[in-house]
Amino acid sequence: MHRKIQRKENKKPQMGNRAPITVFIPVYNEEAILKANIETLARYLETHWPDYEILIASNGSTDRTVAISKELHESNLRVNFFHLSAKGVGLAFEEGIRKAAWDRIITVDADLTTDMNFIPRAARLLDEYEIVVGSKKNGSQKRSLVRLAGSGSFIFCVRLLLKLPYVDYSIGSKAYRRSTIARYTRHINYGSSYVIEIIYRAWRHGSRITEIPVYCEDTRESKFNLAHEGIYRFSNLFKLWLTR
Ligand SMILES: Nc1nc2c(ncn2[C@@H]2O[C@H](COP(=O)(O)OP(=O)(O)OP(=O)(O)O)[C@@H](O)[C@H]2O)c(=O)[nH]1
Ligand SMILES: [Mg+2]
């Protein structure tokens, strides 16, 4: 992948300056929305956080997602991308930690269903915190009943088993300092459980974590197989509990 910007982690941002961010977007078969949404996001960032890279991470896509990502990379937008053949958002995130141009990594879903103002709010908080958890439950959410029930019961079990105080373990709207989470990459498996693995381990380690509300309106069909995702997430949670 040809880089449009150099890695400059050693260059410390001045107080009051905006530290550069990598906005990480995992994508799976997103040809219908990818171009328009990346353009919208880039316009937003130009105004609200101009020192940024957008890093698109595709794996397993079988539609034009990769071709569109390549076009975006070759356009005048600050977009980098990579593609892995094996499917699984955890694999994409693990590679993203390695490939991100910056230490501050903020995750956003390609459908942009969560208010983009999470990005500048989280970017600022990363001055002080190592992880920022964007939480739909503490903000507002318009999502299907099935999804609300699924995430509600998951959050309940997380609190019961792990005593973790946060209320959102979805992949979108999270912000991380790479220097903190790079310690946990060996615990990342193929799917979305990397979020709870990282948050739980960082929390036990005493990392500085904060949670802020986000505003989400997501009525499109999920790219995940929700039944499979439920089984996968709960079984990983029990494994984490048993081996904690
Ligand atoms: N790289 C990669 N991205 C994926 C994969 N599966 C889903 N995604 C992306 O993950 C993001 C979230 O997917 P959505 O379908 O919006 O998930 P959702 O069900 O709305 O998610 P929740 O908000 O957690 O309920 C999107 O950008 C998808 O394209 C995958 O296997 N690999
Ligand atoms: Mg979505």
Side-chain angles (χ1 to χ4, degrees):
M1 183 180 70
H2 175 70
R3 283 229 160 270
K4 291 194 172 173
I5 41 179
Q6 299 293 311
R7 207 178 266 253
K8 295 182 209 155
E9 260 169 56
N10 294 334
K11 190 180 152 198
K12 281 222 171 88
Q14 303 296 304
M15 280 295 286
N17 273 5
R18 291 171 170 188
I21 56 172
T22 289
V23 179
F24 176 82
I25 310 196
V27 291
Y28 174 66
N29 286 350
E30 295 286 13
E31 67 177 6
I33 57 164
L34 191 57
K35 185 167 187 292
N37 281 7
I38 295 295
E39 286 169 354
T40 302
L41 177 62
R43 271 197 304 276
Y44 179 85
L45 290 169
E46 291 296 340
T47 319
H48 294 86
W49 205 275
D51 208 354
Y52 71 91
E53 145 197 69
I54 294 173
L55 180 58
I56 301 175
S58 155
N59 54 344
S61 292
T62 50
D63 67 359
R64 291 198 66 249
T65 292
V66 176
I68 295 167
S69 304
K70 193 160 179 280
E71 281 162 27
L72 287 163
H73 171 64
E74 284 162 2
S75 72
N76 57 0
L77 300 176
R78 268 180 281 160
V79 173
N80 288 311
F81 88 100
F82 64 85
H83 173 67
L84 306 171
S85 49
K87 190 174 175 323
V89 74
L91 302 178
F93 187 70
E94 188 186 7
E95 186 67 10
I97 294 174
R98 272 192 289 274
K99 289 230 157 83
W102 308 110
D103 182 57
R104 296 168 190 229
I105 302 174
I106 301 183
T107 61
V108 171
D109 288 346
D111 52 14
L112 297 184
T113 47
T114 299
D115 193 328
M116 287 183 283
N117 75 16
F118 173 74
I119 301 169
R121 288 191 293 141
R124 247 173 248 121
L125 285 166
L126 284 178
D127 284 347
E128 190 182 339
Y129 295 95
E130 293 156 274
I131 297 179
V132 182
V133 178
S135 154
K136 298 187 277 289
K137 201 171 170 210
N138 291 344
S140 68
Q141 49 184 335
K142 192 169 161 197
R143 298 160 78 227
S144 75
L145 276 178
V146 178
R147 288 213 226 172
L148 288 173
S151 51
S153 48
F154 186 74
I155 292 161
F156 176 80
C157 290
V158 169
R159 186 162 288 202
L160 192 72
L161 298 177
L162 302 179
K163 316 286 179 233
L164 259 182
Y166 311 107
V167 291
D168 199 314
Y169 303 99
S170 60
I171 59 174
S173 306
K174 304 289 173 288
Y176 309 92
R177 297 291 294 253
R178 170 173 40 205
S179 39
T180 295
I181 65 171
R183 298 182 204 137
Y184 309 116
T185 47
R186 70 179 182 284
H187 301 291
I188 296 178
N189 67 22
Y190 69 94
S192 61
S193 282
Y194 74 83
V195 179
I196 191 152
E197 288 280 350
I198 288 175
I199 293 177
Y200 178 64
R201 287 170 203 283
W203 176 73
R204 288 224 9 204
H205 227 248
S207 295
R208 296 182 306 279
I209 304 176
T210 189
E211 185 168 41
I212 61 173
V214 295
Y215 309 94
C216 171
E217 198 172 318
D218 192 358
T219 46
R220 80 164 188 164
E221 206 175 301
S222 179
K223 291 286 170 188
F224 293 94
N225 174 328
L226 292 180
H228 175 268
E229 184 65 8
I231 295 165
Y232 160 82
R233 282 235 196 166
F234 276 98
S235 55
N236 270 285
L237 172 61
F238 290 122
K239 264 187 233 152
L240 188 55
W241 175 56
L242 288 172
T243 57
R244 73 198 184 285

